[in-house]
Amino acid sequence: MRVLLRARTVMVRMTVLVHISSNTGLVRSPASASIFLRRTDFVPAASKISKSHSLKQIPYTAKFAFLAVLVTITARCATGDEASRWSAHAQNVTVVRDDWGIAHVYGKTDADAVFGMIYAQAEDDFNRVETNYLNSMGRLAEAEGESKIFQDLRMKLFIDPVDLQKEYAASPAWLQKLMDAFAEGLNFYLAKHPAVKPRVITHFEPWMALSFTEGSIGGDIETIKLDALEAFYGKTPLKKVAQDEETRQDEPSGSNGIAISPSNTVNHRALLLINPHTSFFFRSELQMVSNEGLNAYGAATWGQFFLYQGFNDRVGWMHTSSNVDAVDEYAETVTKRGGGMYARYGKEERPLVTKEITISYRTGSGMAQNRFTTYRSAHGPVIRSEGDKWISIRLMQEHIKALEQSYMRTKARDYKSYRQTMELKANSSNNTVFADADGDIAYFHGNFIPRRDTRFDWTKMVDGSNPETEWHGLMTVDEIPQLFNPKSGWLYNSNNWPWSAAGPDSPKRENFPPYVETGSESARGLHAIRVLENKKEFTLESLIGAAYDSYLPWFDKTLPALLTAWESASPSDSLKTKLAEPIAALRSWNHRWAVHSIPTSLAVFWAEEIRRETFPGSRRDTVLEEDYIATKVPGGQLLEAFEKACHRLTSDFGTWKTPWGEINRYQRLTGDIVQSFSDAKASIPVEFTSSLWGSLASFAARPYPGTKKWYGTSGNSFVAVVEFGDHIRAKAVTAGGESGDPSSPHFNDEAQRYSTGNLRDVYFYRDQLKGHTEREYHPGS
């Protein structure tokens, strides 16, 4: 645990193992208690510490190396002030668990609501809460060992506890109160649940909230490749990428957001679809209410005290991962002189800033440490080398603003006040789809967008020695691509470009610098247009129908190419006869997924194979893979890939005539973050496919070691539809269930609804909970 050096006592008599994090001066202990020791009792042997940036294990040889201490308790776990604050918060908070286990948290103040919602999150899945902070603070290796060292180093290049404590002190008073409540809620939970054994963090501090202000799946920092980072700072050869890694295209992450104007709805009220695609169980579904104007419902990433995607009684917001270029790499020309390192900048040389970073990690015999000398140019941390250049990276680092913006948006009352939160310009990785009770709908493409010289190609690294590659402030909110009440009456984003976001009323590419969008159109984007254009009578239910529309547009161009290849094959070609029956099945297919569909199985297995074979070519030619497969791949290769698909189906399932639902399965066996799967254990069929094929509803599944069936781990997670007006009406579903405890009735109670897109009613108002309340309590009671 990390504790500021202040007196604290513990409840029980125990023997603990204590060591000091030498880069912070804070006590760390694997025990569940907070312990006060003098920093001077633990001094790492200076002669043993590497002064280079090579990897060295650092032993402790001073007064104590690893100290076994007998701690005798004389008082209590919390100080009197802490216990008093915990009690006050708890009495000011009422948690109502509905019949799906979802927490509706009612507090007198916003701080009370934060205290209650983070306590409820810990009740549902403390492991995920703690793990997110281990990751965000660069401390995963303390729990998971040596394999996480460079993942931790990557985080610590940007996150320093000392700096975050200073930022906490500089934060506005209202935000400090929320951060205080966040830490107190988690510490109160641990005090009330002694059977819960944290892996590392046994005491939470308010400043920790500033380490984790990015609620999306994978922040900007995680774009840095770990193998190159390890090669540079670990002085190890860069690992050769295996051929299958080079040819693999990852499952697209992101989300769908759709907003419908009152002019296109039956009830003349705005509608909003909230459909994030993340790893399963990535967020907690809950509601936060206070007497200070807070009344928000939605999905909170585990451990964060704001709702990342959701709605209040007046407005709703949906974030989709953006292709805005908000992160840049600089090739630095570095020289060594007089014991220091310098980077060329114009006609001068500027010194690189060096910083010692210590990574603690778990071993079979206890804790060990590695120390690295890291470098930072004027642009940012050095993350790798290429040839004789060192590569630095520049990205948004606005922890206070990001946390402010994330929380303030949940209390917006209309388009104007929501847009005002965007003026903080601290959302670097997301687009926003918006709707409100006034009938307004809107789209913002990105938020944090550095203004740059368009003579440079910002999709590639630029010359760090050229002053003209500097950022020139940020684009204003007025300058970014956006929409407000388009004439089409609808708008959407599916992680594609914004140039089709509202059909003919979309932003025009020629009006913006190229760095505002680095992506393209997608099969999912085309599908969204298909279900939105020329529709004038949307309801909440028909919007759900659109979100789960079964059409797969990826096959519109590719499948005709396969059928033509078969028709063009010579009668003497053995594949002509061998594939005649499965080809006939595909010829009659309507390009729609279904649980009982055999053609869906054939099409998906063929698409997997042909993509694997042709992806390097489409990437090389910068052509959409569908177009590349349809126009540039020889017919013989298309047929051979189809034969392989049929063979794989027969080999794995006994026949190529296997319905899709027998392959594509949902299974949740444990509460582990990394799931395991078994064909011998119960699972349920899922009708929708991967979003790769243009399905708006996404289920990213594949076989795992020891399985033939495909099991999903990401895609649709929290899904909600909202109708705005004088009275909110909403429906939602969460992958699996709210609880991470396999013994809980809410571990898997939504699985069947999830697999079929059968959303349940949301109990937004207190009176709606009557007859649907499982438990009502104060935290700790």
Side-chain angles (χ1 to χ4, degrees):
M1 102 185 224
R2 287 190 174 186
V3 230
L4 294 177
L5 295 182
R6 63 188 181 190
R8 188 180 299 278
T9 53
V10 281
M11 290 179 61
V12 295
R13 184 181 181 93
M14 64 182 76
T15 300
V16 296
L17 186 66
V18 177
H19 67 282
I20 293 290
S21 172
S22 58
N23 63 319
T24 65
L26 302 178
V27 178
R28 183 179 301 153
S29 167
S32 60
S34 302
I35 301 165
F36 174 75
L37 293 171
R38 289 177 299 157
R39 174 67 182 86
T40 53
D41 286 341
F42 301 87
V43 183
S47 62
K48 301 292 185 180
I49 297 175
S50 168
K51 295 299 183 183
S52 70
H53 67 278
S54 61
L55 183 64
K56 295 283 186 181
Q57 180 168 317
I58 306 169
Y60 284 110
T61 61
K63 188 170 182 180
F64 296 96
F66 287 95
L67 176 65
V69 215
L70 184 66
V71 180
T72 303
I73 293 308
T74 58
R76 54 186 186 233
C77 179
T79 64
D81 288 344
E82 280 181 324
S84 176
R85 290 195 304 271
W86 293 352
S87 177
H89 275 309
Q91 289 305 307
N92 288 340
V93 173
T94 298
V95 180
V96 179
R97 293 281 184 172
D98 68 25
D99 45 18
W100 297 100
I102 293 163
H104 303 258
V105 180
Y106 301 88
K108 288 186 177 181
T109 66
D110 282 10
D112 292 330
V114 165
F115 178 92
M117 72 88 81
I118 206 72
Y119 184 96
Q121 284 189 47
E123 286 183 309
D124 290 336
D125 205 328
F126 176 79
N127 181 40
R128 289 180 184 272
V129 171
E130 183 191 17
T131 298
N132 279 346
Y133 281 95
L134 293 179
N135 179 61
S136 69
M137 295 191 295
R139 298 182 63 184
L140 266 180
E142 295 177 44
E144 300 181 14
E146 192 172 7
S147 66
K148 301 297 184 181
I149 286 175
F150 287 95
Q151 185 171 334
D152 284 355
L153 178 62
R154 179 174 65 184
M155 295 304 299
K156 285 180 179 289
L157 290 174
F158 301 90
I159 300 295
D160 185 323
V162 173
D163 292 339
L164 294 185
Q165 290 174 54
K166 293 177 182 177
E167 291 184 26
Y168 165 80
S171 297
W174 69 266
L175 188 61
Q176 286 186 1
K177 289 180 181 178
L178 301 187
M179 288 189 276
D180 291 345
F182 145 82
E184 289 167 350
L186 289 173
N187 293 331
F188 186 51
Y189 169 80
L190 290 175
K192 287 292 185 178
H193 296 80
V196 173
K197 305 298 182 186
R199 295 196 291 169
V200 175
I201 307 174
T202 57
H203 188 84
F204 288 82
E205 297 288 345
W207 55 265
M208 291 180 178
L210 290 167
S211 73
F212 188 29
T213 60
E214 169 59 76
S216 63
I217 183 163
D220 296 336
I221 294 173
E222 293 185 14
T223 63
I224 299 169
K225 296 189 180 300
L226 291 177
D227 56 352
L229 187 74
E230 180 177 358
F232 184 77
Y233 285 113
K235 283 193 170 179
T236 59
L238 185 62
K239 297 170 184 174
K240 180 174 174 54
V241 178
Q243 185 172 357
D244 63 340
E245 291 290 320
E246 292 179 338
T247 60
R248 186 188 71 197
Q249 186 175 9
D250 291 335
E251 174 74 22
S253 60
S255 309
N256 301 317
I258 295 175
I260 310 293
S261 173
S263 63
N264 286 14
T265 68
V266 170
N267 293 333
H268 304 294
R269 294 177 173 182
L271 299 175
L272 178 67
L273 168 70
I274 299 171
N275 180 202
H277 294 171
T278 69
S279 54
F280 294 164
F281 329 121
F282 185 69
R283 297 193 176 105
S284 167
E285 182 178 347
L286 54 84
Q287 184 176 17
M288 304 171 66
V289 184
S290 81
N291 295 340
E292 295 180 337
L294 174 67
N295 186 5
Y297 189 106
T301 307
W302 294 106
Q304 293 183 325
F305 62 75
F306 56 87
L307 297 177
Y308 180 69
Q309 288 153 329
F311 54 95
N312 60 36
D313 58 323
R314 295 290 302 170
V315 311
W317 60 97
M318 169 62 207
H319 295 312
T320 61
S321 297
S322 181
N323 294 310
V324 167
D325 183 354
V327 178
D328 290 318
E329 293 185 344
Y330 294 81
E332 310 283 6
T333 303
V334 176
T335 57
K336 185 175 182 179
R337 188 176 71 251
M341 306 297 292
Y342 294 81
R344 184 183 305 159
Y345 188 80
K347 296 181 179 180
E348 59 182 285
E349 287 190 329
R350 294 181 172 180
L352 295 181
V353 176
T354 62
K355 181 179 181 180
E356 299 290 326
I357 294 179
T358 300
I359 307 295
S360 298
Y361 63 96
R362 185 173 298 280
T363 72
S365 57
M367 299 297 292
Q369 292 187 329
N370 290 333
R371 176 166 290 178
F372 303 89
T373 298
T374 64
Y375 301 90
R376 176 183 290 268
S377 75
H379 301 111
V382 175
I383 57 172
R384 69 177 189 277
S385 62
E386 287 193 16
D388 61 350
K389 303 292 185 183
W390 285 12
I391 312 304
S392 63
I393 190 168
R394 189 172 186 183
L395 48 79
M396 187 192 83
Q397 291 184 268
E398 294 283 359
H399 305 123
I400 297 174
K401 286 184 178 181
L403 195 55
E404 284 183 291
Q405 184 170 342
S406 293
Y407 188 81
M408 287 168 60
R409 73 168 68 99
T410 69
K411 298 184 71 174
R413 306 302 295 161
D414 52 23
Y415 170 79
K416 181 179 179 181
S417 56
Y418 190 93
R419 195 182 186 285
Q420 188 62 39
T421 70
M422 299 285 289
E423 294 292 345
L424 286 167
K425 292 179 281 193
N427 187 344
S428 65
S429 62
N430 294 292
N431 310 314
T432 303
V433 176
F434 171 92
D436 70 17
D438 293 329
D440 294 324
I441 64 172
Y443 174 71
F444 299 95
H445 191 71
N447 183 228
F448 175 91
I449 308 180
R451 185 180 288 108
R452 287 156 281 191
D453 191 326
T454 56
R455 292 176 299 164
F456 300 99
D457 182 356
W458 294 94
T459 64
K460 302 175 182 177
M461 73 178 71
V462 294
D463 183 359
S465 69
N466 185 350
E468 294 180 345
T469 62
E470 288 294 340
W471 290 356
H472 302 290
L474 300 177
M475 294 181 70
T476 66
V477 176
D478 287 336
E479 292 173 323
I480 68 175
Q482 60 192 279
L483 291 163
F484 179 67
N485 294 335
K487 292 179 181 179
S488 62
W490 56 267
L491 56 84
Y492 83 99
N493 185 256
S494 295
N495 317 114
N496 56 330
W497 61 20
W499 321 130
S500 61
D505 303 308
S506 304
K508 308 304 179 189
R509 178 168 20 189
E510 60 269 22
N511 294 336
F512 300 93
Y515 52 74
V516 303
E517 174 56 37
T518 62
S520 63
E521 188 53 278
S522 67
R524 201 155 32 104
L526 295 172
H527 192 178
I529 295 171
R530 178 188 176 101
V531 300
L532 292 172
E533 63 181 357
N534 303 319
K535 305 289 195 308
K536 294 293 185 181
E537 296 186 346
F538 273 102
T539 64
L540 203 64
E541 288 72 22
S542 66
L543 181 55
I544 295 172
Y548 285 88
D549 184 75
S550 59
Y551 196 72
L552 298 176
W554 191 90
F555 295 99
D556 285 351
K557 295 178 181 179
T558 56
L559 196 55
L562 173 63
L563 298 177
T564 298
W566 182 85
E567 291 166 355
S568 303
S570 169
S572 62
D573 188 336
S574 62
L575 292 181
K576 183 86 169 183
T577 303
K578 186 176 183 180
L579 298 177
E581 191 177 1
I583 284 287
L586 282 183
R587 191 184 302 280
S588 63
W589 184 43
N590 60 5
H591 295 199
R592 289 187 175 276
W593 46 252
V595 165
H596 302 295
S597 170
I598 292 171
T600 301
S601 303
L602 286 167
V604 170
F605 271 59
W606 171 69
E608 290 268 351
E609 178 61 31
I610 198 64
R611 282 185 72 255
R612 184 187 63 79
E613 295 178 8
T614 61
F615 174 64
S618 64
R619 180 173 60 178
R620 179 195 63 233
D621 294 353
T622 63
V623 176
L624 282 176
E625 59 185 26
E626 303 97 300
D627 293 335
Y628 186 87
I629 291 167
T631 62
K632 296 193 175 186
V633 179
Q637 185 178 356
L638 297 176
L639 288 176
E640 289 171 2
F642 189 52
E643 180 193 30
K644 292 176 184 176
C646 292
H647 175 77
R648 184 181 174 193
L649 274 165
T650 302
S651 174
D652 288 353
F653 300 98
T655 174
W656 61 262
K657 300 178 182 179
T658 303
W660 178 237
E662 293 183 18
I663 299 167
N664 201 48
R665 313 290 290 185
Y666 171 89
Q667 186 179 76
R668 190 183 192 188
L669 301 176
T670 72
D672 296 342
I673 293 176
V674 178
Q675 301 169 72
S676 59
F677 301 99
S678 172
D679 287 347
K681 297 183 179 180
S683 63
I684 61 176
V686 176
E687 54 189 0
F688 43 98
T689 69
S690 162
S691 63
L692 282 168
W693 322 124
S695 178
L696 293 175
S698 176
F699 188 76
R702 65 176 177 85
Y704 285 80
T707 77
K708 299 295 185 182
K709 296 176 182 179
W710 295 13
Y711 296 99
T713 56
S714 67
N716 276 19
S717 48
F718 169 70
V719 185
V721 289
V722 190
E723 181 181 74
F724 293 94
D726 295 335
H727 191 275
I728 286 286
R729 181 169 170 246
K731 290 178 175 287
V733 72
T734 292
E738 177 62 25
S739 175
D741 180 0
S743 67
S744 167
H746 305 300
F747 179 70
N748 242 359
D749 58 338
E750 297 186 56
Q752 192 64 49
R753 283 181 174 270
Y754 169 84
S755 69
T756 58
N758 181 18
L759 278 62
R760 51 179 167 70
D761 290 335
V762 167
Y763 312 130
F764 186 79
Y765 297 100
R766 189 74 179 260
D767 60 2
Q768 292 176 320
L769 287 164
K770 293 178 181 178
H772 298 288
T773 295
E774 191 172 83
R775 185 186 174 205
E776 184 171 329
Y777 60 100
H778 298 297
S781 64

